[in-house]
């Protein structure tokens, strides 16, 4: 039994009578390995079209447990218990949405399969299929997901479950929507209600007065620019933060509850610069929201007047209790904000060193977040002096079951922070100093990432451009920090430079923290301030497109798993240089390209953060080593090519050349023994009047016949006293980082020619055929990423 096949808009499916449980399942899959992040949400409405509640990501329960949300990487499920639904709940609408970000191309067309199924269960019985629907044919036609078409099917209004005469029915809408948040298309949801058969459209029409509120309920870890959240089309200058909470938090006899909020400001290194809270609401760039005027108290009417009013009205003024409809009081609407406090943040007026503001709600009085049922944070764009032009930006919720977080007194609600502008895929690099990384980040969730790393020219160009931009940005940040510390005013030029390279973003968090005080949670808060990305179910960092700034101002972009750098990443060193390649356990592992602070470049294999395996090191003077490495040092067979075009072949041991080595130049070849990188003992020079340089044998013989033979001369090298001694095996501290290999130096050596005449020798080709050649990497323009 498969249930009803749904294949058109307006199709109605009657639900079983007196069913105990209904299951609505959205399932998706992709064969291309794309990272999928879809969400199924159920919104409940009253007969007047008022949003009552919703169940979805970050809000697992609605209608007092009558609607439950469950989800994993392959699909989401909404469970509905009809008997538990409030009588005022007239309809439930199911919406499927794809995540949205500045660099993401994912939409509902991204999955290869996209199915929606319904099941029901009678008392003490298993689930039985009710219907099934393939959603793919109802999406806008698109050959492939592109930046331009991604928004065409960011969401879909799938169906509405609504009351009929004596049961529930489901009507399928199958309407794609251009926004990732159902809060953006509430009018469309209400239009769906008005088209349902049997829905009380009279009540719906009477309740609509032309003003439709916009409720942008932000998903956990959703991250967007403040301009994108405001949708005002103008730069956001002022943001109002409103705080609220619900639960057993107020009233007589309640102990261990003292709710408060905090907004903590951090600089780029993670140091806290200033803070505001419930107890101290003023700081540079932050002001308290004025308290509303208290309502005027009306004088009570005299008792005689009340008695006269009752006599005049009589029994006729009272409603007929037998006729009046008996319904319990309507539940509180979910779009009514439980306002407790608020502040206004003037973004341009914040200290120049401010890079992030971490916003928390706390209860350090003993019971933690145990009494909490929901914490709220609302953001509003109040840049305009005209209050009618204020725009709702978003609403962060942290729902909780009473007693569930008794041991966690803090919940991080959101983070306001500055980041470098990102460029959409397909756009030119323009003037964005991190535009190269923007493209790399956009590819991080697609199968194209290995191709990017394989294109060494592209990686090198990106590293060079980004490290230069990083150095410039770090210098500007240092200038601002020094002037701020010295109490000097910033020039308009410096302010303009700072504004041009940053944009404000908002990330919704909803992450509870342990710690009996903010000081106890200082490390976690600092990490949150300097980390941009998602967390797993155990609150460990896990994201394919994360960003982290460390205490030394180094910056990492890339994949995180289990709170460690894992996978592919891009690491920028604040003092110069960077790395692009693979990570394992927060250490460089596998293939990668590293640019040193002095401009040298290593390309090859890594292990445990060190050069290990085969790799090429390009010195700043133009010389190159190609060969084996171990523990960050040359180890094994390799070839060193100097700036004169000569090559030194041999075997290295822990960074030093030992044993036999051969050095070739166009005019001669040296062959001898080496100790600690220096020639020692017997050796020979093969001197070539006109070396064949790899010419054919016949041409080479002509050269030799015309210009003379090849001569071999033996000799002996002597090391000065104390030079060339092996380093001690013990006592030398291990290297904690990659150390640039040293240049070969031969000053101070003694040489004595053998007491014999030079010998005739066979010609030698140059360069030697057995010598590994340096990899020549052409430059690539950055805007083709």
């Amino acid at each position: 039994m498969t249930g009803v096949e749904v294949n058109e808009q307006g199709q109605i499916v009657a639900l079983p009578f007196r069913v105990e449980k209904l299951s609505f399942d959205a399932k998706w899959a992709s064969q291309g390995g794309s990272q999928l992040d879809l969400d199924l949400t159920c919104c409940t409405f009253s007969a007047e079209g008022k949003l009552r509640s919703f169940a979805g990501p970050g809000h697992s329960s609605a209608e007092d447990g009558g609607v439950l949300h469950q989800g994993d990487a392959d699909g989401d499920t909404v469970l509905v218990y009809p008997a538990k639904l409030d009588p005022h709940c007239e309809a439930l609408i199911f919406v499927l949405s794809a995540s949205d970000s500045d660099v993401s191309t994912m939409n509902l067309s991204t999955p290869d399969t996209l199915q929606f199924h319904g099941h029901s269960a009678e008392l003490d019985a298993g689930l039985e299929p009710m219907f099934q629907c393939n959603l793919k044919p109802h999406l806008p036609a698109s050959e492939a997901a592109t930046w331009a078409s991604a928004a065409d099917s960011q969401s879909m209004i799938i169906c509405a479950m609504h009351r009929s005469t004596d049961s529930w029915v489901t009507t399928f809408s199958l309407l794609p929507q251009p926004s990732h948040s159902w809060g953006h298309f509430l009018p469309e949801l209400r239009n769906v209600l008005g088209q349902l058969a049997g829905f009380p459209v009279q009540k719906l029409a009477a309740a609509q007065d032309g003003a439709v509120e916009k409720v942008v309920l932000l998903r956990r870890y959703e991250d967007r620019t403040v301009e994108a959240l405001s949708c005002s089309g103008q730069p956001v200058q002022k943001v109002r933060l409103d705080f609220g909470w619900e639960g057993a938090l107020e009233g007589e006899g309640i102990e261990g509850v003292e709710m408060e909020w905090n907004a903590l400001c951090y600089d780029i290194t993670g140091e806290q610069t200033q803070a505001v809270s419930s107890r101290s609401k003023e700081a540079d760039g932050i002001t308290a929201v004025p308290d509303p005027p208290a309502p005027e108290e009306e004088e009570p009417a005299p008792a005689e007047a009340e008695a006269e009013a009752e006599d005049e009205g009589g029994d006729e003024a009272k409603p007929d209790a037998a006729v009046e409809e008996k319904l319990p009081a309507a539940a509180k609407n979910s779009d009514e904000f439980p306002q407790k406090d608020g502040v206004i943040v003037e973004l341009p007026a914040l200290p120049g060193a401010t890079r992030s503001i971490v916003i928390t709600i706390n209860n350090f009085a003993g019971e933690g977040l145990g009494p909490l049922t929901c914490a709220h944070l609302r953001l509003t764009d109040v840049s305009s002096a005209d209050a009618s032009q204020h725009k709702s930006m978003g609403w962060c919720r942290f729902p909780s079951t009473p007693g569930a977080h008794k041991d966690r007194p803090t919940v991080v609600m959101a983070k306001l922070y500055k980041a470098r502008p990102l460029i959409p895929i397909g756009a030119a690099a323009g003037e964005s100093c991190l535009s190269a990384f923007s493209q790399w980040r956009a590819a991080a969730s697609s199968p194209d990432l290995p191709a990017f790393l394989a294109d060494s020219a592209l990686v090198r160009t990106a590293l060079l451009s980004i490290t230069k931009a990083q150095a410039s940005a770090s210098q500007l940040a240092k200038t601002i920090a020094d002037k701020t510390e010295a109490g000097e005013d910033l020039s308009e030029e410096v302010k303009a430079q700072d504004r041009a390279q940053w944009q404000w973003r908002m990330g919704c968090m909803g992450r509870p923290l342990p710690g009996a005080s903010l000081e106890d949670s200082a490390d976690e808060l600092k990490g949150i301030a300097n980390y941009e990305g998602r967390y797993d179910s155990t609150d460990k960092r896990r994201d394919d497109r994360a960003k982290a700034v460390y205490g030394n101002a180094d910056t990492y972009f890339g994949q995180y798993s289990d709170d460690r750098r894992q996978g592919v990443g891009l690491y920028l060193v604040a003092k110069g240089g960077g790395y692009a390649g693979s990570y394992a356990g927060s250490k460089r592992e596998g293939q990668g390209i590293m640019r040193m602070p002095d401009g040298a470049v290593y390309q090859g294999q890594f292990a445990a953060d060190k050069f290990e395996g085969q790799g090429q090191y390009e010195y700043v003077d133009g010389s190159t080593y190609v060969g084996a490495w171990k523990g960050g040092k040359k180890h094994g067979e390799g070839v060193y090519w100097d700036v004169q075009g000569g090559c030194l072949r041999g075997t290295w041991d822990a960074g030093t050349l030992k044993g036999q080595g051969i050095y070739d130049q166009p005019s001669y070849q040296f062959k001898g023994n080496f100790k600690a990188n220096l020639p020692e003992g017997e050796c020979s020079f093969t001197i070539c009047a006109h070396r064949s340089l790899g010419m054919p044998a016949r041409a080479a013989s002509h050269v030799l016949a015309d210009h003379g033979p090849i001569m071999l001369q033996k000799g002996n090298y002597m090391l000065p006293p104390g030079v060339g001694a092996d380093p001690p095996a013990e006592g030398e501290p291990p290297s904690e980082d990659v150390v640039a290999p040293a240049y070969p130096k031969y000053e101070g050596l003694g040489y004595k020619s053998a007491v014999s005449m030079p010998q005739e020798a066979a010609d030698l080709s140059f360069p030697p055929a057995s010598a590994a050649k340096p990899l020549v990497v052409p430059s690539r323009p950055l805007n083709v990423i």
Side-chain angles (χ1 to χ4, degrees):
M1 184 176 179
T2 60
V4 177
E5 185 75 27
V6 176
N7 49 35
E8 62 182 1
Q9 294 179 337
Q11 188 168 342
I12 298 176
V13 177
L15 304 183
F17 182 65
R18 290 185 178 177
V19 68
E20 180 191 26
K21 179 173 67 174
L22 300 172
S23 174
F24 297 85
D25 310 303
K27 299 294 181 183
W28 48 81
S30 175
Q31 298 177 355
S34 298
Q35 180 184 1
L36 301 178
D37 187 9
L38 308 184
D39 296 317
L40 179 65
T41 302
C42 176
C43 303
T44 66
F45 290 87
S46 67
E48 294 77 20
K50 192 71 174 179
L51 175 67
R52 289 175 48 82
S53 186
F54 72 97
H59 198 282
S60 59
S61 177
E63 297 291 336
D64 293 329
V67 182
L68 302 177
H69 174 272
Q70 303 170 350
D72 56 34
D74 301 319
D76 280 11
T77 297
V78 172
L79 300 176
V80 178
Y81 298 87
K84 295 182 179 181
L85 296 178
D86 190 290
H88 292 87
C89 176
E90 194 70 26
L92 300 84
I93 297 182
F94 296 85
V95 179
L96 184 66
S97 302
S99 69
D100 187 27
S101 72
D102 294 318
V103 297
S104 174
T105 59
M106 183 173 59
N107 56 45
L108 296 186
S109 299
T110 304
D112 294 314
T113 61
L114 192 60
Q115 300 283 335
F116 186 68
H117 299 267
H119 298 81
S120 64
E122 302 289 348
L123 290 172
D124 300 324
L127 289 172
E128 296 291 339
M130 298 186 299
F131 60 80
Q132 57 183 5
C133 179
N134 180 11
L135 302 180
K136 293 285 285 186
H138 304 282
L139 298 171
S142 176
E143 293 294 329
T146 65
W147 180 265
S149 65
D152 294 344
S153 53
Q154 205 68 42
S155 298
M156 175 183 280
I157 304 174
I158 302 177
C159 64
M161 170 183 162
H162 55 102
R163 296 180 185 271
S164 184
T165 305
D166 54 2
S167 65
W168 292 85
V169 298
T170 300
T171 302
F172 282 82
S173 303
L174 304 174
L175 296 173
Q177 299 295 322
S179 174
H180 75 288
S181 172
W182 54 265
H184 288 161
F185 48 87
L186 274 175
E188 285 75 11
L189 296 181
R190 292 194 173 93
N191 289 339
V192 167
L193 296 177
Q195 298 171 9
L196 300 178
F199 194 85
V201 293
Q202 295 84 1
K203 289 185 178 181
L204 181 64
Q208 303 305 311
D209 57 1
V212 180
E213 76 276 13
K214 174 185 173 184
V215 182
V216 184
L217 293 160
L218 301 175
R219 297 187 295 180
R220 194 182 188 199
Y221 301 132
E222 184 173 349
D223 190 302
R224 301 179 66 77
T225 66
V226 292
E227 282 76 18
L229 291 172
S230 174
C231 299
S232 64
Q234 300 295 327
V236 176
Q237 303 292 325
K238 290 184 180 181
V239 176
R240 172 171 170 157
L241 307 177
D242 291 315
F243 306 93
W245 42 80
E246 297 173 288
L249 308 172
E250 298 175 355
E252 297 181 2
I254 297 179
E255 298 180 356
V257 176
E258 188 176 342
M259 301 301 297
E260 62 181 27
W261 58 267
N262 289 270
L264 313 172
C265 300
Y266 295 87
D267 64 14
I268 197 169
T269 65
E271 293 300 318
Q272 186 174 320
T273 57
Q274 64 176 13
V276 292
S277 66
S278 305
R279 303 176 184 180
S280 177
K281 303 177 186 179
E282 301 288 336
D284 292 341
I286 304 177
T287 56
V289 172
D291 294 329
E296 297 181 3
E297 296 183 2
E298 297 182 359
E299 296 183 3
E304 296 82 359
E306 292 182 0
E308 292 177 1
E310 291 181 2
D311 292 340
E312 293 177 1
D315 294 337
E316 295 181 1
K318 298 180 181 180
D320 188 349
V323 179
E324 183 182 12
E325 182 180 11
K326 293 291 185 179
L327 285 178
K332 185 177 182 179
N333 292 311
S334 67
D335 47 358
E336 293 178 2
F337 191 85
Q339 178 76 29
K340 302 296 182 183
D341 208 346
V343 293
I344 293 177
V345 181
E346 190 172 354
L347 300 178
L350 289 169
T354 303
R355 287 295 177 265
S356 61
I357 304 174
V358 178
I359 304 160
T360 70
I361 290 179
N362 318 83
N363 176 32
F364 294 121
E367 291 297 317
L369 302 177
L372 191 76
T373 58
C374 194
H376 303 262
L377 172 68
R378 183 175 60 189
L379 291 88
T380 307
D381 177 8
V382 294
S383 304
S384 175
D386 183 359
S388 66
Q389 299 300 314
H390 293 175
K391 302 289 184 180
S392 172
M393 298 172 61
W395 186 345
C396 301
R397 291 168 173 255
F398 175 71
S400 176
T401 302
H405 297 98
K406 187 175 181 179
D407 59 339
R408 302 205 171 197
T410 299
V411 55
V412 179
M413 297 298 296
K415 179 176 68 172
L416 263 173
Y417 67 98
K418 285 198 281 190
R420 302 189 189 280
L422 300 178
I423 302 286
I425 294 174
E431 298 179 355
S432 174
C433 57
L434 280 187
S435 58
F437 171 69
S438 303
Q439 309 296 321
W440 180 89
R441 185 185 186 198
S445 62
S446 75
D448 295 334
L449 183 56
F452 170 83
L453 287 176
D455 192 339
S456 57
L458 200 57
V459 175
R460 285 166 175 255
T461 306
L463 268 177
L464 178 60
S465 174
I466 295 172
T467 50
K468 285 183 177 179
Q470 188 82 350
S472 176
S474 298
Q475 182 59 44
L476 179 60
K478 184 178 184 303
T479 300
I480 294 174
D482 291 345
K483 287 184 175 294
T484 301
E485 184 177 358
E488 301 178 13
D489 294 333
L490 298 177
S491 66
E492 291 302 321
E493 181 182 358
V494 171
K495 291 181 180 179
Q497 290 177 351
D498 188 51
R499 286 194 298 269
Q501 70 168 346
W502 300 102
Q503 62 181 189
W504 281 96
R505 303 181 64 87
M506 208 287 294
C508 183
M509 301 290 295
R511 182 184 174 191
L513 296 178
S517 66
L518 289 177
E519 289 73 18
D520 292 342
S521 300
D523 290 341
E524 289 89 344
L525 291 168
K526 182 177 179 179
I528 290 172
N530 284 349
Y531 172 75
E532 301 167 24
R534 298 193 174 207
Y535 297 81
D536 62 17
S537 58
T538 62
D539 287 332
K540 292 183 178 180
R541 290 174 287 187
R542 180 181 182 129
D543 200 312
D544 283 344
R545 300 186 299 276
K547 174 184 176 183
V549 180
Y550 305 104
N552 59 0
D554 289 358
T555 306
Y556 171 77
F557 305 92
Q559 296 175 313
Y560 254 99
S561 182
D562 197 28
D563 230 15
R564 296 172 179 267
R565 298 188 293 273
Q566 187 79 22
V568 179
L570 176 66
Y571 191 101
L572 304 180
V573 181
K575 296 181 180 180
Y579 168 81
S582 298
Y583 278 90
S586 284
K587 294 185 177 182
R588 296 179 287 267
E589 190 85 22
Q591 289 293 130
I593 298 176
M594 187 169 186
R595 184 177 182 85
M596 310 299 285
D598 64 357
V601 175
Y602 172 84
Q603 178 173 344
Q605 296 173 312
F606 289 79
D609 252 355
K610 309 288 186 182
F611 305 155
E612 183 118 9
Q614 293 296 311
Q616 171 174 309
Y617 193 98
E618 302 164 26
Y619 295 87
V620 292
D621 70 339
S623 59
T624 304
Y625 169 81
V626 182
W629 297 80
K630 183 177 181 180
K633 299 179 179 180
K634 295 187 286 288
H635 190 85
E637 294 184 359
V639 181
Y640 174 81
W641 295 82
D642 61 26
V643 292
Q644 288 80 28
C647 67
L648 175 62
R649 290 173 285 166
T651 301
W652 276 259
D653 182 5
T656 61
L657 180 61
K658 292 184 178 181
Q660 189 179 59
I662 302 174
Y663 178 72
D664 280 90
Q665 276 278 1
S667 59
Y668 71 91
Q669 181 190 80
F670 167 83
K671 182 182 293 185
N673 291 316
F674 283 78
K675 182 179 182 181
N677 284 329
L678 300 173
E680 181 192 39
E682 294 184 358
C683 63
S684 65
F685 283 89
T686 301
I687 303 171
C688 311
H690 288 278
R691 202 165 183 177
S692 59
L693 299 174
M695 291 186 293
R698 180 171 299 179
S701 63
H702 173 73
V703 170
L704 295 177
D706 288 351
H707 302 286
I710 308 299
M711 304 301 293
L712 183 145
Q713 173 66 52
K714 293 185 178 181
N716 193 291
Y717 267 107
M718 293 157 286
L719 300 179
V723 176
D726 291 332
E730 297 181 359
E732 183 179 354
S735 174
E736 294 297 333
D737 205 346
V738 175
V739 178
Y743 299 100
K745 296 180 180 180
Y746 305 109
E747 292 85 356
L749 297 179
Y751 175 74
K752 183 178 181 179
S753 179
V755 185
S756 60
M757 294 297 292
Q759 305 174 12
E760 187 174 346
D763 185 31
L764 300 170
S765 61
F766 184 86
S770 61
K773 309 298 188 299
L775 176 66
V776 179
V777 182
S779 62
R780 287 276 299 276
L782 196 60
N783 60 1
V784 300
I785 297 179

